[in-house]
Amino acid sequence: MNNAKNMFPTEELQRRNAAHHVQPFSANTELGKKGARVISNAEGVFITDTDGNQLLDAMAGLWCVNIGYGRKELADVAARQMSELPYYNTFFRTTHLPVIELSERLARLAPDDLNHVFYGSSGSEANDTNIRLVRQYWALKGKPSKQVIISRRNAYHGSTMGGASLGGMTYMHSQGGLPIPDIHHIEQPDWWSCGGAQTPEEFGKSTAKKLEDAIDFLGENRVAAFIAEPIQGAGGVIVPPATYWPEIQRICDDHEILMIVDEVICGFGRTGNWFGSQTLDIRPDIMTIAKGLSSGYQPIAGSIISDAVADVIGMDEFNHGYTYSSHPVAAAVANENVRILEEEGIVENVRKTIAPYLKDKWLTLADHPMVGEAKVVGMMGSVALTPNKDTRAPFNGEAGKVGLICREHCFEANLIMRAVGDRMVISPPLIISEEEIDLLLERASIALDKTFAYVKLHGLM
Ligand SMILES: *Cc1c(COP(=O)(O)O)cnc(C)c1O
């Protein structure tokens, strides 16, 4: 199937790769010695490497290939747009049809009065835009002291200086002098790791209350916005207790701050609705979108802003933009992707059929002796690995080691699952079938059993 594209021996490609390619989030010297897995092509929910292995991609790339691989319509739209208008900017009183159509579609799909879109090429860029947007908003409202953005520990909001600062990943902050000033982090609603003796309900509420404490501590006159993912993705698919978001919403309503909801993973059907905000009943002033917006077929992202925010921002020149803001090819491909998600009823099918099916199966993993909690919302799920379900204890030895061992066993079983510490997470393409979910679970169980055997043998329990 992949032979046409596999013209070089894998080892040769690995050697050439290591010689000149610096890879993200990798220890490149070590990676170069081991050799990277070379991916040649993909179809549906499967990716194929140059050794001919077919892996079930339970991560949809990086949480983004919502529509699945191999949709030729998207390639056709890109080719057509490239020959008509491959590029033009939107800085100097110019615009074009692809971005007009995409913006209309997004305004229609986004909840409430979220009707205006500013574009970038990545979720990180969009969150950088959001920092500028909310600070400029308050400056224009005559409250320039409102500068601080409150975020959460273990949040992921991107990898630029702004995005990584908003994020709450300490291992990212430890390199490059982050965070930038006026970003404040509060506790995350991760009951499994941080809940102690509280019930999930108590913990959800008390953790949300930390937002109010932070606003009081910093002074409401200094706080511009709160930013959060509806469900933390890269942080380990942390599903907050049901009491969390209502309390957060109340606090944002009671105080004069903007709510930025980072929908980069949760958007475009991932949770069974168009946006995670709808699933969790959140009312954002600004939403960050990327990933599923184009199903990863083109780099495109955006900030969808409310009428009220757009009115204020529109009062003055916004000194901000990227060469590739509103890129016509990316916009055309995103528009086609969202059209397909809509017209084929993919999001509806997730909500009504495929997510309930996944939930039934995924929750059975909690019966495994090494699985503590199993969580799933829509098409994102996680399991927490533990030697003791009752105490929620960590393994002996380094945190995250067992997760990595499990990830390797997944690869061996031709399954791509990601490890976040000692949690295993999934976020498969939304078009995954019931049979493919069965296969995913079969392979995940094999990997868990092998990991369990390893853990016992090596005294990590
Ligand atoms: C991936 C991600 C980002 C960053 O997007 P990039 O396109 O990688 O810059 C931001 N927020 C969330 C929630 C993400 O998952």
Side-chain angles (χ1 to χ4, degrees), residues 63 121-125 127 156-159 229 234 262 264-265 290-291:
W63 323 78
S121 304
S122 70
S124 306
E125 284 181 8
N127 278 327
Y156 191 78
H157 296 299
S159 201
E229 305 152 82
D262 187 334
V264 170
I265 287 176
K291 295 192 172 128

Side-chain angles (χ1 to χ4, degrees), residues 220-258:
E220 193 171 323
N221 65 333
R222 288 193 56 219
V223 180
F226 171 65
I227 183 168
E229 305 152 82
I231 294 163
Q232 284 162 281
V237 184
I238 310 295
V239 181
T243 47
Y244 180 76
W245 272 111
E247 183 67 2
I248 291 282
Q249 183 68 57
R250 179 195 67 74
I251 294 165
C252 287
D253 290 346
D254 286 357
H255 296 272
E256 201 183 26
I257 63 169
L258 296 171

Side-chain angles (χ1 to χ4, degrees), residues 97-109:
L97 186 59
V99 80
I100 294 170
E101 288 185 336
L102 177 62
S103 307
E104 279 176 349
R105 192 184 289 278
L106 293 174
R108 177 162 56 73
L109 290 170

